[in-house]
Amino acid sequence: MADLSFLGFLVLLLPLTLLLLLYLIVRPKPVRIPIKDRHVFITGGSSGIGLALAHQAAKEGARVSILARSGKKLEEAKQSIQLATGIEVATYSADVRDFDAVKTALDEAGPVDVLVVNQGVFVPGELEVQSLDEVRLMIDVNITGSFHMIKAALPLIKKRQNGGPASIALMSSQAGQVGIYGYTAYSASKFGLRGLAEALQQEVIADDIHVSLIFPPDTETPGLEEENKRRPRLTSIIAASSGAMKADEVAKKALDGIKSGSFIVPCNSEGFLLSIATAGLSPQRSVLMAFVEVVAAGLIRFVALCFQWNWYGSIEKWHARGKTGVNHADL
C-alpha cells in the first residue's frame, strides 16, 4: 500500500516539477497587448482576412489604418467598416513591393502600436511547370513586402505615444508549417516568415515589441475560388482533410493571439496540432502550452508520420495510375 502511495506521489510530483521548471525558463514573459484607443495598421486590409481584422479592431475601439494597392477596394472597405462600426478608418494605397511608397504611407499614418503584415499572394502549381514570374511574385509580395513593411514601421512603432506593449503580427499559413505538393514556391515564401519572426522577436523584445506569427488554413476569401481552379488535382487530394475557415473566424483567432502576445497563433484544431509538431526553438509565453509541447511532442511526431505516410501513399497511387492509364479522377 505504501508503495502505491509513493508511486502516486511521484506521478503527481513529476508534472508539477516540470510546470515549475517551465515557469522559471519560459521566455518571453506573458504580456497583454491592448487594442482600444491604439493605432492598428493592417496591410492587405481591403479584403479577406485583412478587412475582417480591420472590422474587429475598429469594433474594439482601435484607430485603424488599412493599406492595399487598389484605391477603389480601399474606399469600399472604408465605407463597409464605417457602416458596420460607425468608425472611419484611414486608407493608404501602396504596393508593398515598393519600399518608398510603403514608407511614405507609414510616415503619413504616424506612430503605430500594432502592425499586422497581412498581404499575400498564392499561385499554386508544381515548380517544374510554374513560371519564374509567378515564383518571384510570391517571394516579392509575401517575403520582401513583409521586410519592407516592418523596416518602414519599426521607427514609428518605437515612437508610439502611450509607451505600452506593441505588436508586429505576420500572417503566414499552414503551408508555412508543412510543405504540400503544388505549394513549393508559396510554402517557401511562408516558411521564410518563420525565420524572420523568430529573429525579429529577439531584436525588438527590449523595446517591448512582441511578434506574433499567425497560421490560418484555407480561408474563404475572394481569391480562394480562383486558387482552387488552378490547384493541381493531387494537391486537392492531399489537402482534402483541411477545411476552409471564414475570414471573420480567422480574424478573431488572429486578434485574440495578438492581444495575448502569442508567438505562434493557430486558427483551428489542425493548426493547434501543427503548432505543437513544429514548435522547435520558437518562443513560448504560455507555461501551459510549453507543458503540452514538451509532453505531447513524441505522440504528435507519431501522428505527423502517419500524415506523411498517407500523403506519400496518395502520391504513389497517383503516379502509378498515371503510368497505367487509369483516370486520375477515380483516385
Side-chain angles (χ1 to χ4, degrees), residues 149-188:
M149 287 305 309
I150 295 167
K151 187 167 179 60
L154 266 176
L156 297 169
I157 297 174
K158 292 183 179 182
K159 290 178 183 176
R160 59 193 183 278
Q161 295 172 347
N162 62 15
S167 173
I168 297 174
L170 294 156
M171 191 66 65
S172 184
S173 163
Q174 287 184 356
Q177 293 174 291
V178 58
I180 297 292
Y181 184 101
Y183 284 37
T184 305
Y186 181 69
S187 281

Side-chain angles (χ1 to χ4, degrees), residues 144-318:
T144 307
S146 297
F147 276 105
H148 287 168
M149 287 305 309
I150 295 167
K151 187 167 179 60
L154 266 176
L156 297 169
I157 297 174
K158 292 183 179 182
K159 290 178 183 176
R160 59 193 183 278
Q161 295 172 347
N162 62 15
S167 173
I168 297 174
L170 294 156
M171 191 66 65
S172 184
S173 163
Q174 287 184 356
Q177 293 174 291
V178 58
I180 297 292
Y181 184 101
Y183 284 37
T184 305
Y186 181 69
S187 281
S189 72
K190 292 297 186 178
F191 265 84
L193 294 178
R194 176 71 173 255
L196 189 167
E198 289 187 2
L200 180 67
Q201 180 60 97
Q202 295 181 13
E203 293 181 8
V204 300
I205 190 64
D207 295 294
D208 205 9
I209 301 171
H210 307 276
V211 178
S212 291
L213 193 57
I214 303 158
F215 293 103
D218 283 345
T219 305
E220 295 176 7
T221 62
L224 182 62
E225 185 176 348
E226 188 60 34
E227 291 162 8
N228 285 336
K229 291 177 183 177
R230 293 198 52 175
R231 181 183 287 182
R233 172 69 178 146
L234 185 49
T235 303
S236 298
I237 292 170
I238 292 173
S241 62
S242 183
M245 291 180 68
K246 295 184 181 300
D248 288 343
E249 296 171 339
V250 172
K252 185 179 186 311
K253 292 284 189 182
L255 197 58
D256 287 346
I258 290 168
K259 290 189 292 184
S260 67
S262 300
F263 180 78
I264 292 178
V265 182
C267 295
N268 60 6
S269 57
E270 290 181 349
F272 178 75
L273 292 175
L274 279 171
S275 70
I276 298 172
T278 61
L281 290 171
S282 62
Q284 178 55 264
R285 297 182 186 277
S286 167
V287 173
L288 182 59
M289 269 305 301
F291 179 83
V292 172
E293 289 169 355
V294 171
V295 172
L299 177 60
I300 297 299
R301 176 56 178 160
F302 176 76
V303 173
L305 290 171
C306 290
F307 272 101
Q308 293 288 344
W309 170 78
N310 179 55
W311 293 340
Y312 278 95
S314 296
I315 293 169
E316 289 171 7
K317 289 178 184 177
W318 177 268

